[in-house]
Amino acid sequence: YFPSSSSSTTSSRRWRVRRSSDMESESNHRKAYTLEIVSTIKEIVKLNPLFKEQMQIFLDRVDMNNPSTLADMGAAVTTGEGEALQEVLEETNVEARLRRTLELLKKELELS
C-alpha cells in the first residue's frame, strides 16, 4: 500500500547519511581538541604549581580515549562559573563539549 500524495496519513522521513570522510573529520577534530586540552593543562601546571596536585588526580582518573569524560573532568578542574560548567555537562555534541572545555581551560591559563 502506497498512500496517495493527498492522504493525510503520509509521513515524510529524512535520513541523514554520513560519509566515512565526515566521520574521519569528526574523529580528527576530537583528537585535536583532546591534544589541545592536555597541552593547555600542562601549560597551566607549569605556571601554577598549586594546580599540579589537582591535575595529577585528573590525569589518574580520566580516560583520554573517552572525549566526553575528558571534557567533563577538564571543565571540573577549572575555576569557571557554575553556569559555564553546567553548559559543558548539558552539551550533547561531543565536539562542542570539548570546545567549551578548552575555552574554560584557556581562560584558566590566562588567569594563571
Side-chain angles (χ1 to χ4, degrees):
Y1 168 74
F2 293 95
S4 67
S5 59
S6 63
S7 172
S8 62
T9 60
T10 304
S11 64
S12 63
R13 294 184 184 182
R14 293 182 185 213
W15 298 90
R16 182 172 181 217
V17 178
R18 298 179 73 186
R19 289 177 243 132
S20 63
S21 61
D22 293 342
M23 289 186 287
E24 287 174 16
S25 175
E26 191 173 283
S27 177
N28 288 338
H29 288 184
R30 287 181 184 175
K31 286 178 188 177
Y33 278 123
T34 298
L35 291 173
E36 188 62 23
I37 286 170
V38 172
S39 175
T40 303
I41 290 170
K42 288 179 180 180
E43 288 180 52
I44 293 169
V45 169
K46 286 179 189 175
L47 296 173
N48 187 347
L50 299 175
F51 207 60
K52 188 174 185 173
E53 185 177 325
Q54 190 176 12
M55 284 301 101
Q56 190 58 49
I57 293 168
F58 168 80
L59 293 173
D60 289 344
R61 294 186 181 183
V62 73
D63 177 7
M64 296 297 181
N65 296 316
N66 184 336
S68 288
T69 303
L70 176 66
D72 293 347
M73 294 293 288
V77 298
T78 68
T79 57
E81 296 289 327
E83 188 175 310
L85 299 175
Q86 188 63 36
E87 286 175 1
V88 172
L89 295 174
E90 290 177 356
E91 181 59 63
T92 58
N93 180 287
V94 176
E95 279 188 44
R97 250 174 134 160
L98 290 167
R99 185 186 73 252
R100 288 177 189 256
T101 296
L102 184 57
E103 289 168 359
L104 289 171
L105 288 165
K106 291 293 186 179
K107 286 179 186 176
E108 194 72 34
L109 181 60
E110 290 173 12
L111 297 173
S112 294

